[in-house]
Amino acid sequence: MEAIEELSQLSDSMRQAAALLADEDVDENSSSKRSSTFLNVVALGNVGAGKSAVLNSLIGHPILPTGENGATRAPISIDLQKDGSISSKSIILQIDNKSQQVSASALRHSLQDRLSKSSSGKNRDEIYLKLRTSTAPPLKLIDLPGLDQRIMDESMISDYAERNDAILLVIVPAAQAPEIASSRALRLAKEYDGEGTRTIGIISKIDQAASEQKALAAVQALLLNQGPPKTADIPWVALIGQSVSIASAQSGSENSLETAWRAEFETLKSILTGAPQSKLGRIALVDALAQQIRKRMKVRLPNLLSGLQGKSQIVQDELVRLGEQMVQSAEGTRAIALELCREFEDRFLQHITTGEGSGWKIVASFEGNFPNRIKQLPIDRHFDINNVKRIVLEADGYQPYLISPEKGLRSLIKGVLELAKEPARLCVDEVHRVLIDIVSAAANATPGLGRYPPFKREVVAIASAALDGFKIEAKKMVVALVDMERAFVPPQHFIRLVQRRMERQRREEELKNRSSKKGHEAEQGMLNRAPSPQPGGQQTGGTLKSLKEKFGQGEKEVQEGSALKVAGADKEITAGFLLKKSAKTNGWSRRWFVLNEKTGKLGYTKKQEEKHFRGVIVLEECSIEEIPDEEEPAPKSSKDKKANGSDKQPSLVFKITSKVPYKTVLKAHSAVVLKAESMADKTEWLNKLSKVIQPSTGPVKGGPDGTPGMRQSRSDGSLDTMPRRPVDPEEELRWMSQEVRGYVEAVLNSLAANVPKAVVLCQVEKAKEDMLNQLYSSVSAQSTNRIEELLQEDQNVKRRRERFQKQSSLLSKLTRQLSIHDNRAASASDWSDSGAGAGA
């Protein structure tokens, strides 16, 4: 009996362990009534086999009806609990939470009445009783109707016998022992328990077959495991039943039940003289039940222990994630609040520094949205000549720009730069939204804040308020950057405008005077070289004819003497040598230049065979201008010109500059000065370059007839090299506005680079330092009561922690208990193996 009680405790622990692994709520004080338990005992047998009598012997009270009038017609389930504090003759019936003492006869009669109502065979409802006695082992006994009754079918049997932890009692009367191989109860037991690990055979009514030697011989063979092959792996026990044990226990002293069981054992020993005494009587049945139950538990224990270990790790991880319960003290509460702030700080800085979450959007705003907004400003509309004239007139009065339009141009610069304020403010707003998103994401990613929703909301509110203040400061900063550029325009800019204007006018006047002087001297030279007149004017005519032929031959040499090379399907590639003037040494270097008319680029190398360009000029935004060769010495007087017989050679030098001021043409140079090796080369280069730079309006700054800066006079025979630019105030203003536009674009580019720096300083860096400092100071300034209000834990989290803490405690207890039983089982198995080896 003590072994069964120990197994009952182990079964309860295993039941709780199975419930834990199934993630069910476990009540340590709950009863053992479960649909599946190791302590279930199912009785199988035909009508008259003595099933109820055997179960009554286990209970110690004649509760179940027996005999012809007490045939079981419905499943009866009796849940037994041992209570050593009550008398051996007492029976406590438990209904729900109420207990009532009843007698065995009253229970038996009640069951008979209920079974008689089921005589039709249609009622299959289980009859359930929960009893407390001092005599019964803590088992759940299930008395099924006889297998030869019509009510018994395969589904009813499988409902009880198919459970893999239920012990099957195959009950056969002694008179039928010779035909045990054909027993239906044995066949069903083999069907549900092929290995025989949860089956016990019981031979009942031994006293009724005492005179039948054949039956007694068959019973002794079964007890000695010498019966049919089907019975060899099943332990067998011989019983008389209640005729001796129960009937004798109803009268006499308190120990009469034990006396009756000993009397039953002596009777069986006298009848079955050759049978093992360990397999006789009710005590042998209890021991056999304990052995089978222990075997079943031994098989299941390793898997349960392994599952509990894995479950324990999961529970511990969940407890770590949920965090410990808040310390109930003022210091502990404040410490938890500051620790949560530190966790939030780590998450926030991780998002900012690594770009995790929305952090990358800050860089995307600086590199994408803000520069695009600057480029999309309506500068063209503001620099339209009509708008420029309007602003200058409004600023300076009636046409003062003919002298100095500085005030009007300053007003134009301020108006255009004012447009940059809105993109700067939008950049600040965009970064502010990203920082707010990062605050929310960092708060959501902080496990500790998830436990305290009110404190989480407070942290987000404090951080958001700080970011709002930083946004206001950042807007002031970026607007101040724009206003700084608007308020101060370098005076050098307007000085350069005036200087360039005066220089251009001076050069135009100089070229005009030089051209007029050349024409006059050329005519004089022609007249002086002519011979004396002949009769008929023939000499004069011949001289003029030869002069025209000479000029024609010169033009032909210019056209046919070019040394440039042409390549490509459409002859779009032109290459040849040019002299390039060095900006450092002011000297000339011979370089190989290649022009691609399709791409509009002019590149050069040091040598013709080099494969990679040393520099490339993008001609789309460039202009070409012929300039005089400063190295060629000027003639001393008109007498020298007459002595040489020719005028000064035309200049071979030209310059490439940018149409947009303040922009470079090649590397860091704002202009490139080139010199051709011959006039033919220069003419060819200028024609080619002009097609790329000004495909529709003409080649270069120069004559109106399309020639690059040169025009041949047909009236007086002189060469006019003066670029014809009309003295037009509107043209002058247009030229100045282009210069101003270049300055404005340079300032906008500077703002595009500096505004993000201001935003980083005023928003991002302050968010990383000042915002977190404000968070700590604001939380520290809160009263203890206020912090306790904010640290009201979420009820779901609290319930989950309490549940996992309970599971953790129960897991430790169950693991310890089951490990002890597992070690005992292993030791017992080793001892039995060693004993068997010694006996062999």
Side-chain angles (χ1 to χ4, degrees), residues 237-258:
V237 178
L239 289 179
I240 292 177
Q242 71 173 2
S243 57
V244 175
S245 61
I246 303 301
S248 300
Q250 297 307 309
S251 60
S253 64
E254 188 72 22
N255 298 325
S256 58
L257 190 57
E258 285 78 5

Side-chain angles (χ1 to χ4, degrees), residues 7 58 240 300 323 347 349 380 384 433 464 469 522 557 583 676 827:
L7 292 175
L58 282 173
I240 292 177
R300 297 278 297 279
R347 293 288 183 177
L349 293 178
D380 293 339
D384 180 74
R433 288 192 297 269
S464 300
E557 288 177 357
S827 301

Side-chain angles (χ1 to χ4, degrees), residues 49 97 131 138 145 160 162 186 287 296 347 396 433 436 457 479 492 511 581 584 594 601 606 629 703 760 766 824:
N97 295 326
L131 305 177
Y160 295 94
E162 195 173 13
L186 180 62
D287 291 341
R296 296 297 301 168
R347 293 288 183 177
D396 293 344
R433 288 192 297 269
I436 291 293
R457 290 192 293 268
V479 169
Q492 293 82 359
L511 290 175
K581 191 171 186 178
K584 295 181 179 179
V594 178
K601 294 182 180 180
K606 188 174 182 180
D629 190 351
V760 169
K766 285 195 174 183
R824 286 180 182 175

Side-chain angles (χ1 to χ4, degrees), residues 68-88:
E68 296 181 0
N69 296 328
T72 305
R73 298 180 179 88
I76 300 176
S77 178
I78 302 177
D79 199 347
L80 300 173
Q81 291 183 352
K82 186 175 180 180
D83 188 353
S85 63
I86 62 178
S87 170
S88 62

